[in-house]
Structures are given as C-alpha cells and as structure tokens.
Amino acid sequence: MARPLLPDDLWDAITPLLPPPRPRPKGGRRPIENRAALTGILFVLRSGLPWEMLPAEMGCGCGMSCWRRLRDWQEAGVWARLHQVLLERLHAAGEIDWSRASL
C-alpha cells in the first residue's frame, strides 16, 4: 500500500496551528475539511500537477478550494509556524546537523 501523503503524526502537529473556520452568515456550501484540503495541497505541490487537474477521486475538493486554503493559511502565518515546530521536533530528535546549517 502507498504511504499516505499526510501521516497522522504530521497532521497532529499541524492541527493546532490552523486558524478557526471563518463564520458563514449567509450559509452556502460547507467548506472542505482542513485535512482533505492539506492532502490536496500536498498532492499538487509534490506532483507538479496544475490545481485545476486535482483528481476528484482523492476527496480533496476542487483544486481552487485547495489553492484558496493554501493562500489563506499563508496569510495566517501557518507555514512559518509549522516550519518552526518541525525544526524544534527535528532538533529534539537529534536529526539536525547544525554544523552544516547556513543562514
């Protein structure tokens, strides 16, 4: 079986960093779940596939929904905070060779 794009331990690290959902006073369609959106984002970024060609069979919503979520999370600072969290986890596990680090 193929490895999942978004393992549970990575999802557990990301979940607290995500902003709360926007209020929807006028209703409309329910937004796709955050985990599904992130899976779609990872798939597109890893594969190089155009956003509009994200396969519906993946259950990640449409590519535009995933792209908008990527943009919103960038504006909310999610990626910068995730980078910090992952560096801290790697450092705690002794997986970073600081002698090779460059700033």
Side-chain angles (χ1 to χ4, degrees), residues 6 9-18 38 42 73 78-79 82 85-86 89:
L6 185 57
D9 62 331
L10 180 57
W11 175 243
D12 293 340
I14 294 171
T15 302
L17 306 175
L18 299 177
L38 185 54
L42 293 175
W73 289 346
V78 170
W79 306 115
L82 176 60
V85 165
L86 293 177
R89 287 177 64 174

